[in-house]
Amino acid sequence: MPPRHALAVTLAALTLLAAPPGATARGEAATVVELFTSQGCSSCPPADALLGRLADAPGVIALSLHVDYWDRLGWTDPFAQAAFSERQRRYARQIEDDNRYTAGVYTPQVVVDGRRAMVGHAAAKVRAALEAARQRPAAVTPRFAGGARVVVPAADGGAPAGVWLLAIDRRHETPVARGENAGRTLVNHRVVRSLERLGTWDGGRAVFDIDAERARAAGRDGLVVVVQRDGPGPILGAARRTLTPR
């Protein structure tokens, strides 16, 4: 049976994140907010809008990962990938979810820093998770070195962990012809288009080769690097880079 949708969001809840808090004790560290969503899910547009509100907030890296298990209901999400569905399933086996209505995978779902999960349009819970994350020091702060490398510095207390590169699109508008959202034009923000493991960070300084120009040529708007315990588990550090068109 397909996962059940979550309840519709209220405008009052959305206003809780109208002015997200700025940088705190984490300094330059970034909090990663992953939204598992689908254009075939009628409960997802409010969560997509909430992610859009977070997308430009200081200290937040917003990611929209489109799952493919709703595609069978009449609309094939052009951004859905099986790898994102599997990532969500693995999260479901690792972390506790604040959603008391549905067990296992569902949409929309938000995961904050690989540590806490909740209904994707539960604005108050998302805000609380963000505030908690900002008070937690990052274990490591990766960075982009030009367009050819990612550097993960030496640090204690976090390794070993996987180093992941994500290519994203800033924004998409999609007219939906079939399925639960038929007749609507959906807006998605920070859409993840690829997810690639660069290697493993073992606690020492590590350098990984990347090809930012290839991502730019493919039409991607940005890159994100995430250092994360396997599982997937807690995110130890992350950074983003905007790709400007040539």
Side-chain angles (χ1 to χ4, degrees):
M1 295 179 63
R4 280 181 281 172
H5 289 157
L7 300 176
V9 70
T10 64
L11 291 175
L14 281 173
T15 61
L16 290 171
L17 286 171
T24 64
R26 299 189 88 199
E28 295 301 317
T31 301
V32 177
V33 179
E34 298 175 71
L35 171 64
F36 292 94
T37 186
S38 171
Q39 292 184 353
C41 160
S42 62
S43 295
C44 286
D48 298 327
L50 181 57
L51 191 78
R53 286 175 174 265
L54 291 174
D56 295 315
V60 174
I61 295 178
L63 301 171
S64 178
L65 296 102
H66 290 231
V67 299
D68 66 348
Y69 50 78
W70 286 113
D71 287 357
R72 64 181 179 274
L73 298 184
W75 176 254
T76 299
D77 188 325
F79 309 120
Q81 294 189 31
F84 304 156
S85 301
E86 178 58 24
R87 180 172 175 83
Q88 188 188 28
R89 292 187 187 101
R90 294 179 68 193
Y91 267 139
R93 296 192 289 267
Q94 298 286 332
I95 61 176
E96 185 176 350
D97 195 315
D98 288 343
N99 179 11
R100 66 180 185 272
Y101 299 105
T102 303
V105 298
Y106 64 93
T107 54
Q109 182 192 45
V110 157
V111 176
V112 177
D113 265 355
R115 298 172 187 266
R116 288 186 59 185
M118 62 219 68
V119 177
H121 50 53
K125 290 185 176 181
V126 174
R127 182 183 181 91
L130 283 170
E131 291 176 344
R134 288 189 176 99
Q135 301 306 316
R136 183 173 52 247
V140 65
T141 305
R143 64 180 176 86
F144 287 94
R149 293 179 181 85
V150 162
V151 177
V152 184
D156 295 328
V163 181
W164 297 85
L165 184 70
L166 298 84
I168 63 172
D169 292 345
R170 180 177 177 82
R171 185 178 185 273
H172 281 288
E173 291 189 18
T174 307
V176 176
R178 296 177 299 280
E180 293 189 357
N181 288 311
R184 303 180 66 176
T185 296
L186 301 183
V187 179
N188 298 113
H189 305 269
R190 306 305 190 268
V191 179
V192 178
R193 304 304 302 275
S194 66
L195 175 63
E196 172 192 1
R197 184 177 178 124
L198 297 177
T200 300
W201 175 64
D202 63 5
R205 184 179 184 273
V207 179
F208 301 92
D209 293 333
I210 64 170
D211 190 347
E213 287 305 314
R214 182 177 66 179
R216 192 198 315 271
R220 305 291 76 87
D221 299 313
L223 295 173
V224 171
V225 60
V226 172
V227 182
Q228 183 173 28
R229 287 194 183 277
D230 288 336
I235 290 175
L236 307 177
R240 62 186 162 199
R241 181 186 174 194
T242 299
L243 298 177
T244 55
R246 289 294 187 193

